[in-house]
Amino acid sequence: GETHQDTALSYHNLGAFYQNEYIYMNPKAYDYYNKALTIRKKVLGEDHLDTAMTYSALSSLNYEREGYRTGMQYAYNAMTSALKHVDKTHIKMATIYRNLGRLSYWMGNAPQSQKYLKKALTIRKSVLGNDHIMTLEVYRDLILLGRYDYDGFLQRYKYAIIALFLL
C-alpha cells in the first residue's frame, strides 16, 4: 500500500536512482525522497534509522542543488535521529558527517567543515580502509578545503580506481 514501509523504501530508491544518475536537477529525485520521508515519518516515526537516512539523502541532494540551508537542516535531522540508534562511529554516521562538512564549507564555515569531514574520514578509514573509494571521497573534500596533501590523495585514488577495475 501507499503507506507501507516497503513503499517508502521503493520511493527512497527511486530518489537515489535519479540522484545517482546525475539527473538530480530533475525534480523527481526530490519528490521521491519526500514521499519516502512522509511515509517513513508516519509509519516508522521521526527517530527511526530509515527516516534518518532519508533525511541524509535529502541533505545530499540539497547540497548538489546548492540548497545549503535546507540541506543543513536535513543533515541535522539525520544526525539527531541516527544517533538515537547507532554509535557516533557507525558507518552511516560517516555519510551524515560528510554531508554536514560539505554543507558547512559552502555556508562559509571552514573550521566546522573540517571537523565534520575529519570525523567522516576517521570512520571510513576504520570501517572501509584507507584506499576505499568512499574514503577517498572524503580525502578529496579535505583537499578542496586545503587540508590534505594532494599528491598522497592522487596515489590512493589511482590505486582505488585500479582495484575497482580488477574486481
Side-chain angles (χ1 to χ4, degrees), residues 10-24:
S10 294
Y11 282 138
H12 182 97
N13 289 340
L14 283 165
F17 168 77
Y18 281 99
Q19 182 180 8
N20 291 335
E21 292 300 313
Y22 301 103
I23 46 181
Y24 52 82

Side-chain angles (χ1 to χ4, degrees), residues 52-120:
M53 297 323 296
T54 300
Y55 276 130
S56 180
L58 280 162
S59 75
S60 177
L61 183 64
N62 275 277
Y63 166 80
E64 292 167 356
R65 290 181 170 190
E66 299 181 5
Y68 305 127
R69 289 193 193 286
T70 303
M72 187 65 83
Q73 187 58 53
Y74 282 128
Y76 281 131
N77 289 349
M79 181 172 63
T80 301
S81 295
L83 285 173
K84 292 179 181 178
H85 300 280
V86 298
D87 185 79
K88 64 183 179 181
T89 60
H90 191 278
I91 190 65
K92 290 186 184 295
M93 292 305 301
T95 300
I96 295 169
Y97 290 143
R98 180 172 182 245
N99 289 344
L100 284 164
R102 296 185 314 158
L103 289 159
S104 294
Y105 175 78
W106 286 103
M107 291 181 68
N109 192 340
Q112 184 176 2
S113 175
Q114 182 179 1
K115 179 182 109 178
Y116 283 126
L117 290 172
K118 283 188 173 184
K119 284 182 178 185

Side-chain angles (χ1 to χ4, degrees), residues 127-145:
V127 175
L128 303 173
N130 204 37
D131 295 322
H132 190 279
I133 194 74
M134 290 178 72
T135 305
L136 294 170
E137 289 174 340
V138 184
Y139 280 119
R140 183 191 61 214
D141 294 336
L142 286 164
I143 287 169
L144 294 175
L145 274 174

Side-chain angles (χ1 to χ4, degrees), residues 2 8 21 27 29 37 62 153 161 163:
E2 192 61 27
E21 292 300 313
L37 182 63
N62 275 277
F153 164 79
I161 296 298

